[in-house]
Amino acid sequence: MGRTLKRTLLAGGIGLGLLVFVLSSCQQGGQTPGVSGLSKEAQSVIKERGLKPQDVVAALKTYLPTGQYDEYIMFSSGGHSGQVLVIGIPSMRLLRVIGVFTPEPWQGWGYSKETEEILAEGNVDGKKITWGDTHHPALSETDADYDGQFLFINDKAHARVAVIDLRDFETKQIVKNPIAISDHGGAMVTPNTEYVIEGGQYATPLGWKYASLDDYAKAYRGMVTLWKFDRKKGRIDKKQSFALELPPYWQDLFDAGKGVSEGWIFGNSFNTEMSTGGVEEGNPPFEAGASQRDMDYLHVINWKKAEEVVKAGKYKVINGFKVIPIETAVKEGILYFVPEPKSPHGVDVTPGGEYIVVAGKLDPHVTIYSFEKIQKAIQEKKFEGKDPYGVPILSFDAVVEAQVEVGLGPLHTQFDNQGYAYTSLFLESAVARWTLGGPYSKLHKEEPWTVVQKIPVHYNVGHIAAAEGDTKDPDGKYLVSLNKWSVDRFTNVGPLLPQNFQLIDISKPGTNMQLLYDMPIGLGEPHYAQIIKADKLNPWEVYPEIGWNPGTQSKDPNGITAGQEKIVRKGKTVEIWMTAVRSHYNPERVVVRKGDRVIWHITNIERAKDATHGFGLPLWNINLSIEPGETQTIEFVADKEGVFPFYCTEFCSALHLEMMGYFIVKP
Ligand code: CUK
Ligand code: CUA
């Protein structure tokens, strides 16, 4: 080993053992021929690239040789791209983009009858929407642990929630909230995915109605919706869903209680000032008006009780949707408030459900509330008053367990298996590791409720995601910091910069967090992500049967096998049953008359993994991705005469270019 290198290594200190092991095998002769050569090469690469020891260790921890798989899979919000990103960890390789609220050509998402219909479910008052602002992905849970079956995600801009089936990683349903225009605190799930939670944000009159801002306190309302999930059908059941009317504070995030707090949900709020803006008219701007009071309200909601109340018929109906009025929620003991310091942001429940961690945003603390104390205060009626809507306010001192000064701009908190919590610090651009107390004290050596280490991130972190870090059984190991700004981290690509996902090793206790990897995200803006152990996912490799309809997850009546291809004309309708296989469509010629309605079913009859065929037809905006076994249908009116070559858009074989046909529209 060279002298300079040795000195660099000693100076670096981190991960020294591992490095010395890798690099010293050359000196000891190595067991396998070639190892010594590799190690010499490794040394020169390290030298040439000017890598520090911790860089080499980081590289060794994240590099996956070709053909090896990641240990974890991260589902990340795609922000206002309206999509979901699927990323491998620790490699940080992008594995998949799932089209959700936005048409996505490669997947044919939004270009077939079935996928157009799913997108149309998300129309607002009949208006077509082709984007969504995705914030919080939520994996389905069984007993408060990810079960790998479904993924939900909300669209903040239009108050919609989507359901993705993880058997094929495709969106199956979009529901539009019938009472709210926009949302924010979604999509979190209750511990057995009984409900998908969708909390509101900017208060409006419920039911998409008009009311003057002068009548804000009277006519505007907040809300939280509980969407009933039917796991067997893999769909949200709107009829069994309901909402809770809330005061017109701006509800922010929600989290479901679990373990000891199962049956409850917690949401925070800001703008309890009920500021209505109007800086142009001399009013305080929202940023000031909504931040005057020292305290806002943590919403403590008994959803099991709410469910009973709805079953007993004690609700009103707004826009065809069941809504529990505030008065009923108060009378039935469904809704309580707890003061929380000034415009907080994240609300996160600890793995066992004992504590609710609220991050200050404008306050440098996280405030930790005890669920047990909350229950006691409710039973003993330890109220410090009521808000203007009659909601009882629990006494802060009666329910708070601890406050930890974590730093500037605390936003979101995650947990690990070593008794640590992690909170993102937006203003400080850091992630704070701090110790939990109570039952978690035995998991770590430090004092409870104290900051142990802060690791700088680059820059302006929003959410963080730890491996299974919001379940009852977090894995620790990895944490991803979802940074809003990247500033100087990447090659300049113009004024719109990528966001920066940074992978952090959190496996070692104490002050040993290590930054491993920067992943630029070229679409955005992602908010939250969840990280699941890869072996909990069990997606199909090809669709179960030839002629499969991913919309119904069953055999499509129009799915066919080889030999069943046909073209049938009925009056002015031409219906085509076509197969696709390497390297041809059958039929290859489709001739219709101008003005004919065309219904076209295409089945990919391949059984080989990865043998996807595309189908691109110019002019009518048709572009399909047809995976092995899948059947897709398109429908359009051939309203222009001419000759239109359709072709396979996936390079599927050596004769892929020949995989085409003519669609001829006669005058
Ligand atoms: S929010 Cu974006 S950083 Cu929508 Cu969860 Cu906090
Ligand atoms: Cu099929 Cu190219």
Side-chain angles (χ1 to χ4, degrees), residues 6 11 33 50 134 162 174 190-191 213 219 344 438 507 517 524 531 577 609 632:
K6 203 165 198 168
T134 58
I174 294 175
T190 53
L213 274 168
S507 58
Y517 196 81
I531 301 173
W577 286 266
K609 189 176 174 181
Q632 284 282 352

Side-chain angles (χ1 to χ4, degrees), residues 264 300 370-380 399:
W264 293 73
V300 176
S370 151
F371 180 72
E372 203 186 316
K373 289 182 182 173
I374 289 175
Q375 289 306 302
K376 201 157 168 270
I378 291 173
Q379 268 143 36
E380 293 171 2
V399 298

Side-chain angles (χ1 to χ4, degrees), residues 440-515:
Y440 302 93
S441 298
K442 59 179 188 291
L443 297 173
H444 54 76
K445 291 207 181 80
E446 298 90 350
E447 278 286 295
W449 314 122
T450 50
V451 173
V452 175
Q453 187 191 1
K454 281 192 208 176
I455 185 167
V457 292
H458 315 86
Y459 301 91
N460 298 4
V461 50
H463 275 273
I464 47 180
E468 311 224 345
D470 62 4
T471 68
K472 70 158 184 196
D473 193 13
D475 284 12
K477 284 195 169 185
Y478 298 109
L479 180 140
V480 173
S481 174
L482 285 72
N483 306 318
K484 313 270 177 201
W485 289 29
S486 62
V487 190
D488 57 358
R489 294 294 102 170
F490 305 112
T491 308
N492 186 3
V493 289
L496 180 60
L497 273 63
Q499 315 234 327
N500 187 10
F501 282 9
Q502 285 183 307
L503 180 69
I504 298 167
D505 180 348
I506 56 165
S507 58
K508 291 200 201 98
T511 56
N512 291 304
M513 286 194 283
Q514 189 197 355
L515 185 63

